[in-house]
Amino acid sequence: MLIPHPILGPRDAQEFVYLGDAALIDRPDGMTAGVEEFHDYLYQRDNPAGVHRELWYHEQGDRSWLVVTRDTVTHEILGAELARDVARARGRSK
Amino acid sequence: MAEHGLKPLCALGEAAPKAVTIGPVTITERADVALASLAPRRGREDEVRAKAAGIGLPLPGPAAAQAGAPLGAVWLTPEIWLVEAPFDSHEDILGHLKPVFGDAASITEQTDAWVRLDVTGRDLPRLFERLCNVDLAEVPDGFATRTVIEHLGVTLIRRSAGEVTLYGPRSSAGSLLHALEVAAVSAF
Amino acid sequence: MSQSHRIDGGQIDRSRTFRFRFDGVGYNGHPGDTLASALLANGVRLMGRSFKYHRPRGPMTAGSEEPNALVELRTGARQEPNTRATVAELFDGMRAQSQNRWPSLRFDALSVNDRLNTFFTAGFYYKTFMWPAAFWEKVYEPIIRRAAGLGSLSAKHDPDVYDKGFLHCDLLVIGAGPAGLMATLTAGRAGLRVILADEDFRMGGRLNAETFTIGDQSGAGWAEATVAELASLPNVRLMPRTTVIGAFDHGVYGAVERVADHLPEPAPGQPRQILWRIYAGRTVLAGGATERPIAFPDNDRPGILLAGALRAYANRWGVAVGKRVAVFTNNDDGWRTAHDLAAKGIEVVAVIDPREDGPEAGSLRAIRGGEVVATKGRLGLTEITVRSGKGRLETLRVEALGVSGGWNPNVNITSHHRSRPVWDEDIAAFVPGAGGPPGLMAAGAAAGRLSTHGALASGQAAALEVAEALGKQATADTLPQAEDAPVNIRPLWQVAKEGRAWIDQQNDVTVKDVKLAHQENFTSVEHLKRYTTLGMATDQGKTGNVLGLAIMAELTGRSIPETGTTIYRPPYTPVAMGALAGRSRGREFKPFRLTPSHKWATEQGAVFVEVGMWLRAQWFPRPGETHWRQSVDREVLQTRKSVGICDVTTLGKIDIQGTDAGAFLNRVYANTFATLPVGKCRYGLMLREDGIVYDDGTTARMGENEYVMTTTTANAVGVFRHLEYCRQCLWPDMDVQIISTTEAWAQFSVAGPNARNLLEKIVDQDISDAAFPYMGAGNVTVCGGLRARLFRISFSGELAYEIAVPTRYGDALIRRLVAEGKEFDAVVYGTEALGVMRVEKGHVAGNELNGQTTALNMGLGKMVSKKKDSIGMVLSQREGMVTEDGLRLVGVKPVKPDGKLEAGSHFLPIGARPVLANDGGWLTSKVYSPHLGCDIALGYLKGGTDKIGQRMRAVNLLTGLDTEVEIVSPHFFDPEGERLRG
């Protein structure tokens, strides 16, 4: 598999470590959210046959975490963004 | 020589750097380069660029390395450069850089984190196609990338068609050299 | 021996003779021969025994699709089973043995299976060896494996090396027949980077096996000239002997190059094979087509070949498989065999064509409307019985029979992404379907373009399309003249006649088996395959699959498109395990990481242990010590008595800087870090988001915005990845920069009552307790000016420091420490003594941080701060993880002082039966404590805190251990911590 790195162009998936659903970015605030909310955040994941947004880490590369949009049926990759940009766009800061 | 009298060892375990020639290729260990990582603090990238320019330190863009005298740099990540300097004059590389950048950048000594092997000779793509997925024949001079050679994460820089610099994990220097040697014997 | 069946012509070098042996008998052949062609040239048709019935078999094909002629090639450690004689390139001195026969190929005792064939039908094993279950492993399987099998392994280490490699190209062309050559030529002339890979050692594909002309040249001559031009283009890489084994995602292809298989053995350092990973912008599959047989009774005798193979042996290798031959074909291409052989002076007895309207026979005798209904010849074909269209039976004496049931395009690689081939009625074959690997297109016979002109034209068209897609200018040169015969075929799958008719010769699948599968309702192609084993094993059904499913279609009354086909998966042909392993075998399985003191430790005769990739000194034997315990006990006692030195460089070290570094640590550690003063360090506990303990270590604050984190050796990489995740994905605006410095610093622990006394001789600054108190940290210099870092931390429970210098000085520093330590009888200790001391002190390590345990389990529950958000804080409070009677870390001592303990043993109440309901937890780490003079252990015990002082049993049902133990505090040694503050 090749992952279209937004900075470095196509890179072999061998260089990456896979984490999972990009919904992990939406971590609740531990000071306000309770066990239920964290439980859902951590365990209640969609597992679509189709388009999936997921986190990949370019460990043997530039150490960027990416959000890769991939069709889990065809393995077609529809795009890749820096996870940091995605996180900011989703309102995360410090 | 510092007054402490402690004798350094090169990454490959000897007092002097090693050099090996196999066929048209020579692999040379380099112990004469001091290294530091340079990472601008958040929001201070422009300041860091200005200060770097002031001391003649190039800050190349993604996937690039730029040599310089005395300072060169390699793009490592979107936030970090690896600064190269002559070891003899810059052994205390933080002592040189920290006063320049102050609190505008996070700077960490990296000199002994790496083994540096310079690979020179003709037909280097024929060697590296056995080692890593870098398309060495096609990438431009000054291309720098992290790649994997026999399970080891290595920073590879194409200085020219006939010269490649590798920075590999220092503790695995012997394994990295071995991988290069067997590949060279196999390829040539 | 004379080459009795060698005839004129062919692309072999008759000026040189190779000598080789098959089953101990010597023969001659020539460069350019395969083992099969050379044996056939010597009149040897019998080359193997079939898998199940042990039927005598000879080659059926002249290529990689061969199901029958499987041999053990070479001898000794290089012996390789199941090698196809049809593609084994002959070399001087080759040794080959037949396989799956005993005692000899000509007389095989297990050919009795053939007589018992009524029992060995499809599903035989499923039905027969069902009961009793235990018999399967112990009785049935060993017998079956011995009886039904292929070649045997040498069971010796493979002496050859295998490489892996990576190639990049604009265009990968698979197959160097007319389509592939034309595609490469067109793209190569246009300046594209092209890789042309072909499994054969001679490029040209079928052109080498045919008598066609291309332009004014022979086909083979055109191929040779084209290859020569391609070889002169710097942008074209020709890779003969290279099989593309699979299409993977996004234009990545796997290929195996056989670098030295045609040599007696590889040159020193030369790999036998290379597994290439090819990154291709576009791909043209020009893999040709494979002929398929017709099922008729006893169609598997040596001497019965596919018609195209029969003429390939004559045209390419100058071999007459038989001196009297017949051809049985349902299509016009089969007639080419008859014409070519006749032109070579071989006696062609008849062409049997089930059609009434086949081509003009010329001087050949045609039996129109005819079918072969029987054959004879125990070890090789001697005669065939033919039934003419009028029903008349006639027996013909022949040594060879060429059979053609039509040609199947080699669609294999197009279905590696699960695309299903589609049936093309015009050529009566499957052609590539939609949804193949993106960027791949088929050309030539692989695309169903079965004429030479069709191959040249489609190869050129494919290359033009690729060039255009890549924005390159390619020209459509005028194609040379070539034959463009249409495909005339009337499908004939089986001859309706009693007797066993083979479909898949490798797996001994006959028409009868397909009928049985149908009868038992295994009618889908996927069921058919699994029930009958059709299409399995080394040839993956290249000759038999389509025939089998077509017969199933006939039985069910469905059409072939309705019946469908199984699809192919990688690899295209078998791949040696060695090629997949590459260099990663034995001592080279993975790289090593050496500590800065490695050279010194080696000089001391240290015993090393692998810890991940690290080689760490485990203990340092002294003269006279004959047991490891003597060394370890001495190292522990001497450290506790005076001072010990240990290389702890392997612990992960991460520099964390930035104005938000403290806040960041507060988030990633469960305990508080924001309050840590500059110049101090603190133990940090890192949780996973699910509340389980992930890692631990000390983190020092070296400056206002500068921290140094340490991680466990095992988790160094994972923790770094986790920190990057936290700063990039969770808190993207935090001003935090991190970089690993594990390798940059050589770090040594100096521990014991004399630790400070020793270090005062090394460190240039004041390190008195007042100046450098417990948990102090800072930058210092050593030995008169070398920059260093000092941390006053202890894993052993002793007064202890960790001192770090730039790695290149690590060797010098340990030598200096040892020299300066002489006056204190300083000892250097390894990981065993380290482990003993940490257990004595009750510190957790990998065995306790096993990914199942919480801070509460470890007795560290109070460390999890609820006043701040941190990873894992919320879920560590989950019900079930905070129960009062949950697992707690305890110490364990045997009741009898000489009692033995074992890690992994379980706690049981005294007198309780060893069943799960009575399980109280388990022992995690066990050591012999020289300090206490007995075995001690740590363990997790349910409600353990309340059971201190009680007695239980440690039970290990695997080893038989069942011993009474006392539950104690995990702090066996200096529980108040007075020593480390000393």
Side-chain angles (χ1 to χ4, degrees):
Chain A
M1 274 175 60
L2 299 180
I3 294 187
H5 192 297
I7 299 172
L8 299 171
R11 303 288 300 213
D12 197 306
Q14 284 185 321
E15 297 173 351
F16 291 80
V17 174
Y18 179 78
L19 181 63
D21 194 336
L24 280 170
I25 287 174
D26 300 321
R27 182 182 184 274
D29 182 345
M31 297 315 287
T32 56
V35 167
E36 286 292 317
E37 201 177 328
F38 261 89
H39 177 273
D40 288 352
Y41 159 73
L42 198 62
Y43 296 111
Q44 302 293 344
R45 307 259 180 84
D46 289 333
N47 182 22
V51 175
H52 191 220
R53 282 163 65 77
E54 48 201 28
L55 286 166
W56 294 72
Y57 176 53
H58 199 196
E59 182 150 278
Q60 300 294 357
D62 76 340
R63 296 180 3 199
S64 289
W65 276 93
L66 304 182
V67 173
V68 175
T69 307
R70 182 175 68 103
D71 187 321
T72 58
V73 176
T74 62
H75 282 190
E76 186 186 359
I77 293 184
L78 305 160
E81 307 152 83
L82 293 176
R84 175 172 268 160
D85 294 344
V86 174
R88 283 187 181 132
R90 298 187 67 79
R92 302 202 68 87
S93 179
K94 284 191 175 187
Chain B
M1 197 69 196
E3 57 214 62
H4 52 72
L6 295 173
K7 287 195 189 125
L9 277 192
C10 294
L12 287 166
E14 301 300 329
K18 272 194 189 172
V20 185
T21 297
I22 297 166
V25 164
T26 298
I27 305 160
T28 310
E29 181 184 15
R30 293 280 301 274
D32 57 348
V33 182
L35 301 169
S37 62
L38 173 72
R41 296 259 167 98
R42 187 143 309 282
R44 303 183 72 174
E45 291 82 1
D46 293 342
E47 202 180 326
V48 166
R49 285 192 179 277
K51 288 173 192 265
I55 54 167
L57 170 64
L59 294 179
Q66 203 173 326
L71 301 175
V74 186
W75 185 92
L76 285 188
T77 82
E79 299 159 80
I80 305 177
W81 285 274
L82 186 67
V83 178
E84 300 171 307
F87 184 84
D88 282 347
S89 54
H90 289 69
E91 174 170 359
D92 180 17
I93 190 166
L94 297 193
H96 284 83
L97 296 180
K98 282 205 164 183
V100 175
F101 292 96
D103 66 354
S106 295
I107 303 171
T108 302
E109 182 174 327
Q110 288 279 296
T111 304
D112 285 353
W114 305 100
V115 56
R116 173 167 166 167
L117 299 176
D118 283 358
V119 186
T120 54
R122 61 174 167 78
D123 219 358
L124 294 183
R126 191 164 151 187
L127 170 65
F128 281 92
E129 72 186 20
R130 302 281 177 96
L131 291 167
C132 61
N133 67 16
V134 176
D135 191 359
L136 194 63
E138 286 291 295
V139 298
D141 291 348
F143 176 83
T145 187
R146 174 134 161 157
T147 187
V148 181
I149 293 180
E150 280 295 329
H151 313 283
L152 296 169
V154 172
T155 297
L156 177 151
I157 303 157
R158 177 180 146 140
R159 306 282 185 188
S160 68
E163 185 181 359
V164 165
T165 292
L166 299 177
Y167 285 110
R170 182 185 180 98
S171 65
S172 295
S175 293
L176 180 59
L177 177 65
H178 177 72
L180 291 169
E181 286 175 334
V182 295
V185 169
S186 175
F188 297 111
Chain C
M1 238 176 116
S2 71
Q3 298 178 44
S4 57
H5 286 63
R6 189 73 79 179
I7 56 175
D8 288 345
Q11 296 138 14
I12 52 169
D13 177 5
R14 287 167 199 262
S15 68
R16 288 194 294 151
T17 297
F18 285 163
R19 305 176 69 78
F20 69 101
R21 298 182 90 81
F22 177 63
D23 278 347
V25 180
Y27 302 97
N28 291 341
H30 299 292
D33 263 325
T34 62
L35 175 61
S37 73
L39 283 171
L40 291 168
N42 286 277
V44 178
R45 289 178 297 174
L46 175 63
M47 296 186 198
R49 289 274 176 171
S50 73
F51 178 71
K52 198 157 74 169
Y53 300 128
H54 291 250
R55 299 263 296 185
R57 293 281 170 79
M60 174 183 172
T61 75
S64 64
E65 68 272 32
E66 176 59 30
N68 284 340
L70 304 183
V71 299
E72 287 168 3
L73 205 58
R74 305 170 196 266
T75 56
R78 286 196 167 84
Q79 174 182 315
E80 187 174 35
N82 310 331
T83 309
R84 288 150 293 158
T86 50
V87 292
E89 195 174 344
L90 195 70
F91 55 81
D92 198 30
M94 181 186 269
R95 297 278 180 280
Q97 297 78 236
S98 58
Q99 54 190 38
N100 201 32
R101 83 286 184 274
W102 183 87
S104 76
L105 186 56
R106 294 183 68 83
F107 177 78
D108 177 4
L110 277 167
S111 62
V112 66
N113 283 7
D114 194 31
R115 312 282 149 127
L116 301 174
N117 68 76
T118 35
F119 299 104
F120 290 121
T121 51
F124 169 71
Y125 297 119
Y126 300 136
K127 292 168 186 167
T128 311
F129 299 111
M130 291 184 58
W131 182 92
F135 265 46
W136 178 250
E137 209 175 299
K138 294 198 171 73
V139 181
Y140 298 141
E141 192 177 331
I143 292 174
I144 294 167
R145 286 213 179 275
R146 210 171 306 137
L150 297 169
S152 56
L153 293 165
S154 73
K156 296 184 175 118
H157 285 287
D158 185 343
D160 292 330
V161 296
Y162 298 80
D163 264 347
K164 290 189 183 183
F166 308 83
L167 297 174
H168 307 258
C169 60
D170 297 325
L171 172 63
L172 168 65
V173 179
I174 304 169
L181 287 173
M182 187 47 83
T184 308
L185 193 62
T186 306
R189 283 175 176 167
L192 275 72
R193 287 176 93 192
V194 190
I195 291 173
L196 173 60
D198 193 285
E199 61 177 353
D200 206 334
F201 53 88
R202 185 183 181 92
M203 288 189 161
R206 276 307 293 185
L207 294 177
N208 291 324
E210 303 289 359
T211 51
F212 307 144
T213 54
I214 294 185
D216 51 6
Q217 289 173 290
S218 71
W222 180 85
E224 198 169 343
T226 305
V227 169
E229 179 181 343
L230 294 174
S232 73
L233 298 176
N235 52 317
V236 173
R237 182 173 184 140
L238 298 177
M239 302 185 72
R241 302 188 178 99
T242 302
T243 306
V244 174
I245 58 169
F248 304 92
D249 286 311
H250 310 141
V252 179
Y253 289 80
V256 174
E257 181 180 1
R258 292 173 297 280
V259 178
D261 277 6
H262 61 296
L263 304 172
E265 60 185 69
Q270 183 186 39
R272 179 186 167 216
Q273 298 178 349
I274 303 173
L275 179 66
W276 293 104
R277 191 179 177 88
I278 302 177
Y279 300 86
R282 293 286 191 285
T283 302
V284 171
L285 172 65
T290 300
E291 205 167 18
R292 63 192 180 220
I294 297 168
F296 56 89
D298 292 325
N299 60 340
D300 65 329
R301 297 194 193 280
I304 302 178
L305 282 77
L306 292 168
L310 203 56
R311 69 174 184 270
Y313 284 114
N315 291 332
R316 176 171 171 181
W317 287 286
V319 171
V321 176
K323 292 181 177 169
R324 284 169 57 86
V325 302
V327 172
F328 179 26
T329 179
N330 67 347
N331 65 89
D332 290 3
D333 185 72
W335 284 75
R336 286 189 173 125
T337 299
H339 289 298
D340 283 3
L341 296 185
K344 291 231 168 218
I346 297 165
E347 186 181 352
V348 179
V349 178
V351 180
I352 301 111
D353 191 328
R355 302 171 298 173
E356 293 291 351
D357 55 350
E360 285 299 314
S363 59
L364 297 170
R365 180 191 171 201
I367 302 180
R368 306 222 185 242
E371 292 176 336
V372 178
V373 295
T375 71
K376 271 194 182 167
R378 198 176 67 85
L379 298 176
L381 185 67
T382 55
E383 63 177 54
I384 59 173
T385 302
V386 178
R387 183 176 58 203
S388 74
K390 299 190 178 79
R392 198 169 64 85
L393 293 179
E394 181 185 354
T395 296
L396 301 172
R397 289 187 51 77
V398 291
E399 287 176 19
L401 174 68
V403 179
S404 181
W407 291 79
N408 292 322
N410 286 332
V411 299
N412 305 48
I413 286 173
T414 68
S415 56
H416 284 184
H417 289 193
R418 298 198 64 75
S419 159
R420 292 210 170 255
V422 294
W423 185 252
D424 182 340
E425 205 68 51
D426 291 340
I427 61 170
F430 283 100
V431 294
L440 177 141
M441 67 184 109
R449 302 287 300 276
L450 291 164
S451 75
T452 310
H453 172 77
L456 295 172
S458 65
Q460 183 186 57
L464 292 172
E465 199 179 322
V466 169
E468 193 184 338
L470 299 176
K472 293 272 174 86
Q473 193 67 41
T475 48
D477 296 324
T478 310
L479 291 172
Q481 203 67 35
E483 63 84 26
D484 196 17
V487 174
N488 287 319
I489 181 169
R490 198 192 78 201
L492 172 69
W493 308 110
Q494 57 167 321
V495 171
K497 184 82 173 67
E498 287 305 302
R500 280 183 296 158
W502 267 261
I503 295 169
D504 177 335
Q505 298 202 11
Q506 180 153 107
N507 292 294
D508 272 339
V509 178
T510 64
V511 172
K512 199 173 84 173
D513 295 316
V514 176
K515 284 180 177 163
L516 188 67
H518 172 246
Q519 196 179 308
E520 301 191 347
N521 207 27
F522 290 100
T523 54
S524 96
V525 284
E526 302 291 348
H527 286 155
L528 172 66
K529 171 177 176 172
R530 273 121 195 126
Y531 196 60
T532 64
T533 69
L534 171 73
M536 295 188 178
T538 69
D539 67 339
Q540 288 286 295
K542 289 190 179 65
T543 55
N545 264 7
V546 173
L547 184 55
L549 66 91
I551 290 171
M552 179 58 84
E554 285 184 349
L555 291 168
T556 56
R558 292 175 299 182
S559 68
I560 290 175
E562 283 170 333
T563 304
T565 175
T566 55
I567 57 175
Y568 299 90
R569 57 190 166 202
Y572 179 68
T573 50
V575 177
M577 295 301 288
L580 297 174
R583 299 274 178 179
S584 303
R585 326 181 340 192
R587 294 290 289 171
E588 293 177 274
F589 181 71
K590 61 185 179 188
F592 286 111
R593 300 177 78 180
L594 304 183
T595 63
S597 64
H598 186 82
K599 188 174 186 170
W600 178 85
T602 305
E603 289 167 14
Q604 306 307 309
V607 172
F608 292 97
V609 59
E610 288 184 35
V611 183
M613 283 173 18
W614 288 104
L615 277 184
R616 296 188 73 179
Q618 200 171 6
W619 63 85
F620 294 84
R622 288 251 173 102
E625 291 174 348
T626 56
H627 190 276
W628 65 271
R629 266 275 311 285
Q630 295 174 305
S631 309
V632 173
D633 289 357
R634 170 181 50 75
E635 290 169 13
V636 171
L637 290 170
Q638 188 60 19
T639 299
R640 295 225 185 277
K641 185 177 158 208
S642 178
V643 61
I645 302 155
C646 183
D647 190 329
V648 294
T649 304
T650 62
L651 293 177
K653 298 184 267 298
I654 302 171
D655 253 40
I656 302 176
Q657 299 189 31
T659 51
D660 291 321
F664 180 70
L665 288 169
N666 248 3
R667 297 273 176 83
V668 298
Y669 276 133
N671 51 322
T672 304
F673 265 84
T675 55
L676 182 67
V678 173
K680 294 285 273 185
C681 48
R682 181 171 289 174
Y683 176 79
L685 190 66
M686 199 177 284
L687 306 184
R688 309 190 309 215
E689 194 68 277
D690 64 2
I692 299 289
V693 175
Y694 178 32
D695 199 65
D696 69 349
T698 51
T699 289
R701 188 168 188 181
M702 307 299 280
E704 179 61 25
N705 294 315
E706 296 184 28
Y707 294 80
V708 176
M709 172 187 281
T710 63
T711 73
T712 60
T713 300
N715 283 337
V717 171
V719 167
F720 193 89
R721 182 188 308 149
H722 174 68
L723 297 183
E724 287 285 17
Y725 163 76
C726 291
R727 61 187 277 279
Q728 293 182 39
C729 301
L730 300 183
W731 303 298
D733 288 336
M734 272 195 169
D735 179 27
V736 182
Q737 294 80 39
I738 67 176
I739 193 156
S740 167
T741 59
T742 304
E743 312 245 334
W745 297 89
Q747 194 148 320
F748 298 97
S749 166
V750 180
N754 279 318
R756 184 184 298 123
N757 295 332
L758 171 54
L759 279 179
E760 275 173 345
K761 298 172 73 180
I762 303 278
V763 178
D764 301 333
Q765 289 76 16
D766 177 10
I767 56 165
S768 64
D769 190 51
F772 213 91
Y774 179 59
M775 297 307 264
N779 293 311
V780 296
T781 59
V782 297
C783 302
L786 178 65
R787 63 201 180 283
R789 293 166 162 181
L790 187 66
F791 309 91
R792 189 168 159 193
I793 51 179
S794 175
F795 199 45
S796 57
E798 296 295 334
L799 165 67
Y801 300 81
E802 290 188 10
I803 178 91
V805 294
T807 306
R808 69 181 62 198
Y809 299 107
D811 176 81
L813 182 64
I814 193 162
R815 290 175 201 272
R816 184 70 64 92
L817 284 167
V818 169
E820 299 290 352
K822 279 218 165 73
E823 67 173 280
F824 309 109
D825 283 332
V827 68
V828 180
Y829 62 92
T831 56
E832 282 298 324
L834 184 82
V836 170
M837 287 189 278
R838 74 99 185 162
V839 171
E840 286 181 338
K841 184 64 187 169
H843 281 311
V844 293
N847 293 7
E848 288 76 33
L849 302 165
N850 70 344
Q852 298 174 296
T853 45
T854 65
L856 196 58
N857 295 151
M858 291 169 196
L860 303 176
K862 289 201 180 82
M863 283 186 72
V864 181
S865 165
K866 297 174 194 74
K867 294 188 184 130
K868 63 180 179 84
D869 187 11
S870 68
I871 299 282
M873 182 270 281
V874 171
L875 290 181
S876 73
Q877 309 305 316
R878 273 185 288 176
E879 192 187 345
M881 285 171 64
V882 291
T883 52
E884 280 305 311
D885 60 350
L887 296 169
R888 294 290 183 277
L889 189 74
V890 294
V892 182
K893 285 201 313 195
V895 170
K896 288 186 200 153
D898 59 348
K900 295 287 163 231
L901 299 178
E902 286 171 7
S905 307
H906 278 247
F907 291 114
L908 283 172
I910 289 166
R913 286 178 53 232
V915 294
L916 193 59
N918 294 328
D919 182 30
W922 70 97
L923 277 65
T924 52
S925 302
K926 168 257 164 178
V927 298
Y928 174 80
S929 166
H931 176 73
L932 296 171
C934 65
D935 274 5
I936 59 169
L938 297 175
Y940 286 117
L941 176 62
K942 283 178 191 163
T945 316
D946 300 329
K947 292 185 176 150
I948 304 285
Q950 295 183 12
R951 289 188 175 186
M952 296 193 78
R953 282 152 61 215
V955 177
N956 187 336
L957 295 179
L958 294 175
T959 62
L961 177 88
D962 189 340
T963 191
E964 210 167 305
V965 296
E966 185 186 347
I967 309 303
V968 297
S969 157
H971 308 292
F972 295 91
F973 179 82
D974 187 29
E976 304 307 320
E978 285 157 8
R979 292 172 75 102
L980 37 91
R981 290 185 173 79

